[in-house]
Amino acid sequence: MLVLVAPGQGAQTPGFLTPWLELPGAADRVAAWSDAIGLDLAHYGTKADADEIRDTAVAQPLLVAAGLLSAAALGDISPGAVAGHSVGEITAAAFAGVLDDTAALTLVRKRGLAMAEAAAITETGMSALLGGDPEVSVAHLQKLGLTPANVNGAGQIVAAGTLEQLAALNEDKPEGVRKVVPLKVAGAFHTHHMAPAVDKLAAAAEALTPADPKITYVSNKDGQTVATGAEIVERLVGQVANPVRWDLCMETFQKLGVTALLEVCPGGTLTGLAKRALPGVQTLALKTPDDLDAARELIAEHA
């Protein structure tokens, strides 16, 4: 059983879209998406530097576009389930047929702008904790006033809060944590700091006409499968200010009988977690079009 997954913010790197735009029809598709949302995706995916694509309003549409483009390059596939990490949930909603590509990109453009606006109110950020016991780390974060915004499984937790709180964490790590690594994001996502973005996203979601998923959709909120398009959109809105429970998503993959996990571009983060948390499951990350043949072989064997 194949699970198709889409990464979240922080996975982007300068120029990562360049080789994908060389595929037949890719540049035209991205140009049409860019016109639809008023953002030059090709420029940001090929020529922009790390700081430019760190901007939440840019990074989020860019990641969804990359996921959709790389999945389209695989042709028609039938995974057993789909999921996405944070903003990758919108990509996954498109994979499941809940939203069409343009609707997904329109929603993520509004999501990115709303979250960037919320992030500008207070200087905030996110840092990954490497090592340590999750229960000990969560208690320590709460003592410092930080939120465990991503509980990613495989022992990885991402803390979110003000820059002062994150600096205090760097000086006072939880017991057993080897390192605290700042992430390439511009805000404390999936925390109360994002509450102002929820209302704006809810208003944007009212314009959508979601379909029910054609593929099993696993939600970040609690790792549960969701059967209706309306509930998926409702969860996409609320998830902006609530922690990502990727650990629970991976537990659900196991219950569903996952044998392979394929991560769309810019892949690597979620396959890395799966290698540690889902032993025996084959994993493959789409980084460049050079990975497509191996991905098709994986699909043929497991989908």
Side-chain angles (χ1 to χ4, degrees):
M1 196 276 275
L2 175 72
V3 176
L4 185 66
V5 297
Q9 207 163 334
Q12 72 277 8
T13 55
F16 77 100
L17 205 59
T18 300
W20 294 97
L21 292 176
E22 296 170 4
L23 296 176
D28 289 342
R29 179 175 293 192
V30 170
W33 290 341
S34 297
D35 289 343
I37 66 172
L39 185 71
D40 190 344
L41 294 164
H43 165 76
Y44 285 109
T46 60
K47 297 177 181 176
D49 63 24
D51 284 340
E52 288 178 280
I53 61 173
R54 184 173 174 266
D55 179 351
T56 303
V58 170
Q60 293 192 10
L62 190 58
L63 285 163
V64 173
L68 296 175
L69 194 65
S70 58
L74 292 167
D76 289 332
I77 59 174
S78 299
V82 296
H85 189 286
S86 186
V87 70
E89 285 206 290
I90 294 179
T91 317
F95 293 160
V98 175
L99 303 173
D100 63 33
D101 291 355
T102 301
L105 284 159
T106 300
L107 180 64
V108 76
R109 175 64 168 151
K110 291 176 180 177
R111 182 187 194 267
L113 288 166
M115 291 175 72
E117 192 174 314
I121 296 170
T122 306
E123 285 195 309
T124 57
M126 303 176 80
S127 294
L129 278 59
L130 304 183
D133 178 85
E135 289 188 14
V136 172
S137 292
V138 166
H140 189 84
L141 294 179
Q142 292 170 341
K143 184 182 74 174
L144 295 175
L146 289 157
T147 299
N150 300 167
V151 183
N152 286 331
Q156 189 192 93
I157 289 177
V158 174
T162 66
L163 296 187
E164 291 81 5
Q165 289 168 334
L166 291 169
L169 171 64
N170 208 43
E171 295 299 318
D172 181 17
K173 301 178 186 67
E175 183 181 351
V177 170
R178 303 187 308 276
K179 195 174 183 181
V180 176
V181 182
L183 299 185
K184 294 179 286 185
V185 297
F189 305 142
H190 303 291
T191 72
H192 65 90
H193 292 285
M194 290 295 109
V198 173
D199 289 341
K200 292 190 175 182
L201 199 58
E206 288 179 4
L208 299 174
T209 52
D212 291 340
K214 298 172 184 174
I215 302 167
T216 300
Y217 181 97
V218 182
S219 169
N220 282 181
K221 180 178 181 178
D222 50 15
Q224 296 300 304
T225 59
V226 185
T228 70
E231 186 180 349
I232 287 172
V233 169
E234 183 181 331
R235 284 172 174 245
L236 289 175
V237 171
Q239 198 59 36
V240 168
N242 286 295
V244 171
R245 294 302 306 267
W246 192 251
D247 59 332
L248 300 180
C249 290
M250 289 195 291
E251 286 180 15
T252 297
F253 300 162
Q254 282 186 307
K255 291 173 185 173
L256 292 171
V258 61
T259 56
L261 181 140
L262 176 60
E263 183 179 4
V264 297
C265 176
T269 303
L270 302 181
T271 48
L273 291 170
K275 285 174 183 176
R276 297 192 292 277
L278 300 171
V281 173
Q282 284 187 251
T283 61
L284 194 148
L286 285 176
K287 298 177 184 292
T288 74
D290 290 341
D291 299 313
L292 287 170
D293 285 344
R296 292 186 185 107
E297 290 178 13
L298 188 78
I299 291 164
E301 185 178 349
H302 295 273

